[in-house]
Amino acid sequence: MAIAVKICGLSTQAALAAAVRGGARFVGFVFFPPSPRCLDLDRAATLAAQVPDTVHRVGLVVDADDATLDALMERVPLDMLQLHGSETPARVAAIKARFGVPVIKSVAVATAADLARTAGYEAVADWLLFDAHPPAGADRPGGNARAFEWGLLNGIACQRPWFLAGGLEAGNVALAVRASGAKAVDVSSGVEDAPGRKSVAKIEAFLRTAMHLNVAAGAAAAAGR
């Protein structure tokens, strides 16, 4: 099966074009002020309007209230929302009902016990995203370029499709996919030259690797027939 790739935290036309050109199925825009990747609504609207219909436009928010989400969804043409804070299953369900778009819910993972938290979200989210816990003192959720033990996800009985995130880059994504069994991956800092500054070359390298995994998976499937 093809590995689906989400390039998150895009903020320039050049980076967005590289993601689309390279075959990303999802592109992410961040709306969380502490993040160096945060976009204002005008800039996000301009970029999102350039994304072809074949690619899903995802807006990442963290514990956003209804007024913030209303303004976002009114101004920016998004296909999905990614909830990357401490949103409860009830809040996820309420957001999905209010805006009528698919929702991705992030789950921080450090040990197998963390995976028990997915049960409540599987009933309401369309996708899950497994990421590392933030380091001590971090002002942003998510792995902040840190990975967790990918093997924890291997064979997970999850009723929803899911992304693997946290510490991924072109040099380790193949290993991460093999170890976790992921069918979709999310990358942000791993394709940057500095926080918030995407590298076209790194985006291209990451997607080339992902496309190679797609070809390898297809070849393996064909050989097994």
Side-chain angles (χ1 to χ4, degrees):
M1 178 177 286
I3 303 299
V5 177
K6 176 173 172 282
I7 307 291
C8 197
L10 293 163
S11 60
T12 68
Q13 290 180 333
L16 175 62
V20 171
R21 184 172 62 246
R25 286 176 52 190
F26 304 81
V27 291
F29 306 108
V30 174
F31 304 96
F32 182 55
S35 172
R37 304 166 186 91
C38 186
L39 294 175
D40 63 50
L41 299 189
D42 287 341
R43 179 61 176 162
T46 297
L47 290 173
Q50 300 173 25
V51 178
D53 291 341
T54 53
V55 179
H56 301 286
R57 299 164 294 187
V58 183
L60 185 155
V61 297
V62 178
D63 297 316
D65 59 21
D66 284 348
T68 299
L69 291 172
D70 284 342
L72 170 61
M73 296 301 288
E74 180 178 344
R75 184 71 183 88
V76 184
L78 296 173
D79 303 305
M80 306 177 75
L81 286 171
Q82 180 175 328
L83 309 181
H84 217 88
S86 57
E87 300 90 356
T88 65
R91 178 59 176 156
V92 174
I95 290 172
K96 183 175 176 180
R98 185 180 183 91
F99 298 104
V101 297
V103 171
I104 303 167
K105 178 65 186 90
S106 68
V107 177
V109 178
T111 70
D114 290 319
L115 297 177
R117 299 175 52 216
T118 65
Y121 293 115
E122 286 182 48
V124 292
D126 298 276
W127 285 74
L128 299 179
L129 184 146
F130 297 110
D131 202 353
H133 281 274
D139 63 351
R140 306 191 306 273
N144 290 267
R146 299 165 70 240
F148 62 95
E149 176 50 57
W150 299 316
L152 291 171
L153 299 177
N154 201 315
I156 183 175
C158 186
Q159 302 305 308
R160 298 290 184 180
W162 51 270
F163 292 94
L164 174 65
L168 299 180
E169 57 185 30
N172 66 12
V173 65
L175 176 60
V177 166
R178 287 197 299 269
S180 65
K183 297 175 182 177
V185 295
D186 177 289
V187 63
S188 183
S189 59
V191 290
E192 292 181 338
D193 289 327
R197 195 174 76 203
K198 288 290 186 287
S199 162
V200 167
K202 289 179 180 179
I203 290 172
E204 292 173 341
F206 190 94
L207 288 166
R208 277 198 305 271
T209 301
M211 295 306 103
H212 176 73
L213 293 175
N214 293 348
V215 170
R225 283 200 295 267

